[in-house]
Amino acid sequence: MKSPHLALVGFAATSLLRRKARTLTLVVGLAASVALLASVFFVTGALRDEARRVRGAAPDLVVQKLVGGRPSVLDPSLAPTIARIPGVKQVVPRVWGYLFLASIQSNVAVVGSSSRGPLALSAGRDLQVGERGTCVLGKELADTLGLRLGDHLIFPLPGHRAADSVVVGLFSSDVSLYTSDVALVADEDARLILGVPRESAVDLAVELTNPDESQVAARKLGELFPGARVVEKRVLDRTLALVYGRRAGFVLGASLPALLALFVLAWDRAAGLAPSERREIAILKACGWSTSDVLRVKLYEAFVVAFAGGALGIVLAYLWSFPFGAPGLREVLSGWAVLYPRTHLVPSVDGAQVLSVLALVTAPFLALSVGPAWRAAGVDPLEALREG
Amino acid sequence: MSRLGLLVHVFGAALVVALLAIPLHARQQRAARAVLDAPVSATVARLPSGDFALSGSGRHLRHISLAEPGAAFADVVAGPDGDPAGGALAPPRDTFPEATP
C-alpha cells in the first residue's frame, strides 16, 4: 500500500501540473535568481582557490624602496645585510617591470629570470644560464603578437633603439592566469629593456626559514631600512581572502533586489487563492481530508517548486561558471586585462556548498508559504462551495 | 501516467542526478588539476608575485600586491578596486599613451 506521505506528494505534484503556466513561471524565475547567486559563489570560490594554490610559491617578504611614495630601484648590495638577519634563508635581487607595447596597446610584464626552477611550458624550452637575446612568452601575448617558436620579438628601447629577442619557449595554458602577459628574459636583457641600471634591482625577494616569523623579520627590516616597503605574504593571504569576498558581496548586493522581488511575487502568488483552488480544497475537505492534510499538500507544493527551481538554478550556475567560463560575470569578479588569460577555472564546489545554496533558497520559500498554506487549509468547505 | 507527467518525472530525476554529479565532477576536476600543482607553483616562483594577470580599475597595472601604495583605490595591500564595475569595464584603450617608437 502506498505511503500516505507519498500519496500527498504525488497529489501536490499533480496539483502543480494542473497550473502549468504559474508553476513554470515560478520555477524559471527562481532558477534564474539561484543561477546568478550560485554562480557568484562558485566563481569566487574558484578564484580564491586558485590564488591560494600558488601562495606557497611567492616569497615570504618582498622589499621595495620608496621614493616620494612610489617604488624605485634599490641597491642589491642590501641583500647580504638582509641575509644576515636571523631567520632569513635567502635573498634574491629581482629585475622586472612593465613595458608598454603600442602595437597591442598593452603593458607586457618583462621579468628577469633571476632564479631557476622548472617552467610549465607548452612548447620550446627554458632560458639557459648566461644566455641572452632569448625569451619565453605567455600564451596570450604570443598569440596576440602572432609569434611562434623561433620568431623574433623586438622590444622598443628609449632613444629609437630596439632589443631583439628570439622566442625559445611558450608558457602552457595551465599557467595563463599568471603568465598571459609575461615575457621572461635573462636578467641582463631585462635591465636593458627596462632601463634598470646594472648596480640596481627592482626589489628583493626574501625567503625565511620559518614563514611564521615574517612579522618579526618585517619589523627588523623596517628598522634597518627606514625608506623600505616590506610586503608580507601573510598579509597578502589574509587580504586576498577578504578581497574576493568583497567583490562577490558587491555583485550579490546588486542582485539582491531581483531575488527579493521573486520572493515577494511567490508570496503574493501563494497569499491569494484562486476560486478554483478554494473549490478544490472545499471538495477535498468535504471528502474527508483533514486541515493538516491540506496544509501538508500546500507545503509540499511549495517545496517541489523551491527544490525544482533551486536545483535547476544550481545546475545552470555550474554549467555557466565552469564549462562556459561565466562570461560577463567572471570579468566583474576577477578583473580585466588587454591580454586576458583564458584559463578555465577549476570548481572548488563540494556537496556541502550545493546543499547550502539549496537550503538558502528552499527555506525562505517554504517559510513564505506557511502563512498562505495555513489560510488555505482553514477554508470552510460549505462557504467555499456556496461561493461556487 | 500522462505524457506530461512522465516528462516531469524524467526531468526531476535528471535534475537530482545532475545535482549529485556536481560535487563529484568538481572533485574530479580538482584531482586533475592537482597533477599540475608542482609545475604551476614552480613557474609562479619565477615571477614577481602570484597575482593573476588581471588589473583593477584603479591602477591598471598587474602585480597588484606590489603596486604603488599611493595609487588611487589601493586601500589595502593586494586590494583590487572596490568597484567591481571597474573590473568589468576596461578603460578606453584609445587613451593609452603611445610609446615613443
Side-chain angles (χ1 to χ4, degrees):
Chain A
M1 195 166 104
K2 206 176 183 181
S3 154
H5 292 290
L6 276 178
L8 288 177
V9 171
F11 184 86
T14 316
S15 177
L16 287 171
L17 281 177
R18 279 201 293 275
R19 296 183 284 276
K20 283 189 280 293
R22 203 155 39 168
T23 305
L24 197 62
T25 307
L26 270 176
V27 168
V28 168
L30 200 56
S33 301
V34 170
L36 178 60
L37 238 73
S39 295
V40 172
F41 288 135
F42 291 165
V43 174
T44 306
L47 286 170
R48 268 207 199 110
D49 210 38
E50 196 66 46
R52 239 191 329 257
R53 182 189 181 201
V54 297
R55 249 327 130 194
D60 296 311
L61 299 170
V62 172
V63 181
Q64 296 174 314
K65 180 182 173 184
L66 295 183
V67 175
R70 293 169 172 239
S72 176
V73 293
L74 50 71
D75 184 355
S77 67
L78 296 173
T81 312
I82 295 173
R84 282 195 289 273
I85 295 174
V88 172
K89 187 164 74 176
Q90 186 186 29
V91 183
V92 177
R94 305 192 301 186
V95 179
W96 64 275
Y98 305 111
L99 182 72
F100 182 74
L101 291 185
S103 57
I104 55 175
Q105 291 186 318
S106 171
N107 276 314
V108 169
V110 177
V111 180
S113 182
S114 52
S115 56
R116 306 305 302 174
L119 288 179
L121 299 175
S122 65
R125 59 171 178 83
D126 192 357
L127 306 176
Q128 289 172 356
V129 176
E131 184 184 35
R132 293 196 59 178
T134 54
C135 62
V136 176
L137 300 184
K139 183 181 184 308
E140 282 72 14
L141 175 59
D143 289 346
T144 304
L145 291 172
L147 294 173
R148 295 182 185 176
L149 288 182
D151 287 345
H152 290 248
L153 173 58
I154 311 297
F155 290 100
L157 303 180
H160 302 285
R161 293 177 300 135
D164 188 357
S165 195
V166 177
V167 180
V168 298
L170 297 172
F171 284 111
S172 161
S173 58
D174 296 321
V175 290
S176 273
L177 205 49
Y178 313 96
T179 61
S180 66
D181 62 351
V182 168
L184 187 71
V185 298
D187 251 2
E188 291 305 314
D189 285 343
R191 288 180 189 284
L192 176 67
I193 294 165
L194 300 170
V196 175
R198 188 175 294 273
E199 60 282 359
S200 299
V202 171
D203 61 21
L204 301 172
V206 180
E207 295 287 343
L208 303 174
T209 48
N210 182 2
D212 294 333
E213 292 174 358
S214 65
Q215 204 172 0
V216 174
R219 197 164 48 238
K220 185 74 180 169
L221 278 165
E223 288 166 10
L224 280 173
F225 311 109
R229 177 183 179 225
V230 183
V231 181
E232 291 179 62
K233 184 168 76 175
R234 182 185 59 88
V235 175
L236 292 181
D237 289 346
R238 210 168 57 222
T239 311
L240 271 170
L242 293 172
V243 148
Y244 284 116
R246 188 170 69 163
R247 290 177 80 103
F250 272 112
V251 176
L252 286 175
S255 320
L256 214 52
L259 191 61
L260 285 174
L262 186 74
F263 281 141
V264 167
L265 174 70
W267 179 83
D268 185 60
R269 196 272 319 167
L273 283 176
S276 58
E277 277 183 272
R278 286 175 67 85
R279 193 164 46 249
E280 184 182 299
I281 292 167
I283 292 170
L284 289 173
K285 291 186 93 171
C287 292
W289 280 47
S290 66
T291 303
S292 64
D293 289 336
V294 175
L295 183 63
R296 257 182 279 178
V297 164
K298 286 296 163 191
L299 288 177
Y300 287 152
E301 280 181 18
F303 178 78
V304 168
V305 168
F307 183 83
L312 183 61
I314 290 171
V315 171
L316 289 174
Y318 191 81
L319 290 173
W320 181 27
S321 300
F322 298 112
F324 292 107
L329 180 64
R330 180 171 164 172
E331 293 83 355
V332 174
L333 291 174
S334 61
W336 67 273
V338 174
L339 299 168
Y340 201 88
R342 291 289 165 206
T343 319
H344 275 288
L345 291 175
V346 172
S348 64
V349 183
D350 57 18
Q353 282 179 326
V354 170
L355 280 175
S356 302
V357 174
L358 208 53
L360 214 64
V361 171
T362 315
F365 201 86
L366 276 177
L368 284 171
S369 304
V370 167
W374 193 268
R375 256 199 309 282
V379 162
D380 183 82
L382 286 175
E383 269 185 37
L385 286 170
R386 270 198 211 108
E387 285 166 14
Chain B
M1 188 186 292
S2 70
R3 188 178 287 183
L4 178 64
L6 182 65
L7 202 65
V8 168
H9 275 80
V10 167
F11 177 75
L15 209 55
V16 171
V17 167
L19 211 60
L20 291 172
I22 283 173
L24 295 174
H25 179 261
R27 190 163 16 152
Q28 181 262 328
Q29 293 282 296
R30 287 196 295 276
R33 185 188 66 173
V35 170
L36 300 166
D37 276 355
V40 169
S41 288
T43 301
V44 171
R46 291 176 64 177
L47 301 177
S49 72
D51 297 316
F52 298 155
L54 296 161
S55 303
S57 72
R59 198 58 190 82
H60 309 151
L61 279 175
R62 273 256 278 127
H63 303 297
I64 51 176
S65 58
L66 305 177
E68 298 173 3
F73 310 120
D75 50 353
V76 288
V77 172
D81 56 284
D83 173 14
L89 300 174
R93 289 170 59 180
D94 292 342
T95 64
F96 285 10
E98 290 197 7
T100 306

